[in-house]
């Protein structure tokens, strides 16, 4: 089964945090990961998806 957008972004953010990256770098990592997984989606759309989902993912991780 293919991972969901949330799962892809969450994994990229978690990996970036483990590397000590700040929020901007975490978003960049998620954009890079999502673009690699979904090459048919243009970069602007990938960036918009990450920018919309990142705050929710960051809040969920902080609550855990």
């Amino acid at each position: 089964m293919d991972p969901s957008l949330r799962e892809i972004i969450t994994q990229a953010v978690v990996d970036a945090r483990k590397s000590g990256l700040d929020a901007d770098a975490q978003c960049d990592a998620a954009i890079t990961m999502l673009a690699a997984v979904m090459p048919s989606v243009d970069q602007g759309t990938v960036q918009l998806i990450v920018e919309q989902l990142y705050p929710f993912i960051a809040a969920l991780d902080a609550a855990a």
Side-chain angles (χ1 to χ4, degrees):
M1 179 185 295
D2 292 334
S4 69
L5 292 174
R6 184 187 59 78
E7 291 170 330
I8 295 165
I9 295 168
T10 299
Q11 187 60 52
V13 169
V14 167
D15 291 346
R17 284 186 179 161
K18 286 179 182 176
S19 296
L21 300 177
D22 65 10
D24 289 335
Q26 292 170 26
C27 283
D28 289 343
I31 289 167
T32 300
M33 175 71 77
L34 191 57
V37 172
M38 302 176 64
S40 62
V41 179
D42 68 89
Q43 186 71 18
T45 302
V46 169
Q47 185 171 352
L48 180 64
I49 291 168
V50 171
E51 288 174 355
Q52 294 299 308
L53 291 177
Y54 178 80
F56 299 105
I57 291 168
L60 288 173
D61 189 53

